[in-house]
Amino acid sequence: MKNVLKIQEVEPSFTNRRKFLKISGLSLMGTGLVLAGCNNEDFMNFKNHVKSNYGNGHFPGVRNGVFDFGGNDFGVLTYAYALEQLEADFYTKVVNANGFTTNFTSEDQQVLTDLYHHEVIHREFFKAALTGALPNPKKQLLPALAFDYGNLNFSSRTQVLATAKALEDTGVAAYNGAGRLISNPDYLLLAGKIVSVEARHASAIRSLINPNSNDFAGDDVVNTTTGLDVKKNPSEVLAIADGFITTQFTALYLP
């Protein structure tokens, strides 16, 4: 049933792309980190429901000398925190690279800077929420991870955008695949809000690479049968992320 509905194509402009990202943007509210589209109630629900539902499953923490993500909702949230650490680290290196202001267009710089801010706040949101919710965060909170990007040249527009595309596509698939593993409806709602942000990121990067094309929703990331974004299990996503994460970890209780 492909191409039953034809949507009028509108050439994206730089201004429209910035507005597109602004819709999904994150903001600082008071002294707390809050996702745009989420509010303080979301944050409190996160904390309160985790505290009242942590009795089942395996907690995150060190097992046999290696940190394991744990299982159930805590495991999924820790898994998401690990991925947000990776994306935040990547974009931090991008915007601070020597060639950022010379090898990237002004549009590139604006979009990549927006993504940098988004991912840093995603990371800090999960850190703050898990710290407040875990029974023993000193032992159960995932530590700051270390990363290695191999021979990636952060001053190369081509290499940076290709890596950003891979990370963003993987991030969307990760959240989509994790949804079925979340038992608490408040967490599921939160994950839905965040994945909508990640999907905007993925579309923006694809548009920078191939402007005025249909790549923003290519067949490689959209299931042509269902019309939905692809999804991946944690084991599939972590196999990809492990190419960047040098800190040893396990995910024994996630599929």
Side-chain angles (χ1 to χ4, degrees):
M1 297 297 291
K2 291 180 66 176
N3 300 325
V4 172
L5 176 64
K6 181 167 179 63
I7 301 174
Q8 182 179 3
E9 296 179 7
V10 179
E11 181 175 332
S13 68
F14 172 54
T15 301
N16 287 338
R17 193 171 295 129
R18 290 301 310 284
K19 288 181 179 178
F20 180 63
L21 287 173
K22 283 290 186 183
I23 293 172
S24 67
L26 301 167
S27 59
L28 289 172
M29 298 179 63
T31 58
L33 293 163
V34 181
L35 293 165
C38 300
N39 52 38
N40 286 315
E41 183 178 356
D42 289 312
F43 187 84
M44 293 308 298
N45 284 341
F46 182 103
K47 294 175 64 176
N48 293 335
H49 281 293
V50 173
K51 284 185 175 180
S52 64
N53 291 293
Y54 67 75
N56 297 320
H58 300 271
F59 289 115
V62 176
R63 289 180 173 82
N64 298 319
V66 179
F67 191 94
D68 184 80
F69 288 172
N72 295 336
D73 285 0
F74 265 133
V76 175
L77 298 172
T78 299
Y79 161 61
Y81 177 38
L83 296 179
E84 297 298 351
Q85 284 196 43
L86 169 58
E87 291 188 320
D89 182 82
F90 171 73
Y91 287 111
T92 298
K93 287 180 170 60
V94 169
V95 299
N96 287 288
N98 290 332
F100 186 62
T101 58
T102 54
N103 297 343
F104 294 82
T105 69
S106 59
E107 181 178 3
D108 295 339
Q109 293 175 48
Q110 291 288 349
V111 170
L112 291 167
T113 300
D114 282 347
L115 269 58
Y116 155 69
H117 288 298
H118 292 186
E119 301 298 2
V120 166
I121 298 178
H122 277 168
R123 179 194 67 198
E124 294 305 305
F125 175 86
F126 277 108
K127 180 179 180 180
L130 284 166
T131 298
L134 285 163
N136 189 352
K138 287 186 178 180
K139 293 184 177 180
Q140 297 168 336
L141 179 68
L142 179 72
L145 301 174
F147 307 95
D148 184 353
Y149 302 92
N151 295 323
L152 175 62
N153 179 0
F154 280 93
S155 294
S156 166
R157 180 181 189 271
T158 300
Q159 292 186 34
V160 164
L161 292 183
T163 305
K165 176 182 174 182
L167 290 176
E168 296 295 349
D169 289 348
T170 301
V172 173
Y175 277 101
N176 288 339
R180 67 181 179 84
L181 306 175
I182 299 174
S183 61
N184 188 289
D186 289 320
Y187 305 158
L188 187 59
L189 176 61
L190 180 62
K193 292 179 178 181
I194 296 177
V195 74
S196 71
V197 177
E198 299 293 347
R200 288 178 171 87
H201 291 179
S203 294
I205 291 295
R206 284 168 167 264
S207 183
L208 289 178
I209 294 172
N210 196 0
N212 307 323
S213 73
N214 294 326
D215 283 0
F216 71 94
D219 289 349
D220 57 328
V221 288
V222 176
N223 186 304
T224 56
T225 301
T226 65
L228 301 175
D229 282 328
V230 299
K231 58 185 179 181
K232 295 183 183 293
N233 284 327
S235 59
E236 298 175 280
V237 172
L238 291 173
I240 298 171
D242 193 44
F244 300 104
I245 302 173
T246 59
T247 304
Q248 192 176 5
F249 66 87
T250 56
L252 301 176
Y253 305 101
L254 294 176

